[in-house]
Amino acid sequence: MPKKLVIKVTAGPEAAERCSQAFTVAAVGAASGVEVSLWLTGESSWFALPGRAAEFELPHAAPLPDLLDSILAGGRITLCTQCAARRDITEKDVLEGVRIAGAQVFVQEAMADGTQALVY
């Protein structure tokens, strides 16, 4: 079983179930002791900003702010550099603990030994 999990979420509220699944899998992984790296890309980029996760609603799903807190407590969250730039999001705008990095870092993480990469 891989000891590291890299998850890229490309969806936001427009594909709520897919978005929620990515955050849920990341939070469960982190809570299970797996090293988790969640990448926010596309419309999920907005969840790197304070208060945005609280606006997300999906019946029968864990609240996104709780999932984010779990991931940050036991893993890492990265906002895609290009996605941030297209939305005028900078390092000073994001939640504490969220970093901004590019494709080179994603590929490096995804290709590391013992890593499973998932894209939602």
Side-chain angles (χ1 to χ4, degrees):
M1 179 171 161
K3 293 186 169 61
K4 298 177 187 173
L5 187 58
V6 177
I7 300 171
K8 180 184 275 194
V9 56
T10 62
E14 80 290 349
E17 287 182 312
R18 188 164 29 113
C19 177
S20 179
Q21 288 170 2
F23 280 90
T24 300
V25 168
V28 169
S32 300
V34 175
E35 185 179 328
V36 172
S37 177
L38 178 69
W39 283 72
L40 304 176
T41 67
E43 288 304 301
S44 72
S45 299
W46 296 111
F47 297 126
L49 300 175
R52 287 297 185 98
E55 298 171 7
F56 182 86
E57 292 184 17
L58 181 64
H60 310 290
L64 208 57
D66 294 348
L67 296 174
L68 266 171
D69 289 344
S70 294
I71 299 162
L72 283 169
R76 176 185 322 193
I77 297 179
T78 305
L79 172 59
C80 162
T81 302
Q82 290 182 16
C83 301
R86 281 190 283 275
R87 291 161 179 82
D88 294 320
I89 300 172
T90 67
E91 297 260 347
K92 66 179 175 57
D93 300 318
V94 300
L95 293 163
E96 185 176 337
V98 173
R99 70 176 177 168
I100 297 176
Q104 178 183 358
V105 177
F106 176 80
V107 171
Q108 181 181 12
E109 285 186 11
M111 296 305 296
D113 288 340
T115 300
Q116 174 67 53
L118 304 172
V119 177
Y120 286 88

